[in-house]
Amino acid sequence: MQVFINSAPITTTALTLNELLKTQGFNLDKIAVECDKIIISRSKWPEFKLQNNMRFEVVSFVAGG
């Protein structure tokens, strides 16, 4: 299946958003995820089923001032 993360096409065998994020090497404690312009709650990631051509925006939190 193909999905997009931050506009980049990704081919994956992951079935859920949580699996996808882990296989792509994201630090799950420090990101927020939007799918097709809707923010996905972290508690929903393990059950959020992927579908072909979904578009995700992943934003990382960084400390600083």
Side-chain angles (χ1 to χ4, degrees):
M1 147 178 9
Q2 182 173 341
V3 298
F4 297 84
I5 298 178
N6 298 342
S7 299
I10 305 290
T11 300
T12 184
T13 58
L15 299 177
T16 66
L17 178 55
N18 207 56
E19 288 177 52
L20 175 67
L21 296 170
K22 284 181 179 178
T23 60
Q24 294 301 308
F26 287 101
N27 181 341
L28 303 186
D29 295 328
K30 298 184 180 192
I31 60 172
V33 180
E34 174 188 283
C35 177
D36 298 327
K37 303 191 180 200
I38 298 171
I39 295 174
I40 308 303
S41 171
R42 184 181 312 274
S43 64
K44 303 278 187 199
W45 295 357
E47 63 195 43
F48 189 91
K49 302 288 185 208
L50 301 183
Q51 294 179 9
N52 200 39
N53 292 320
M54 283 183 152
R55 294 184 175 272
F56 296 96
E57 293 296 323
V58 179
V59 180
S60 298
F61 299 107
V62 294

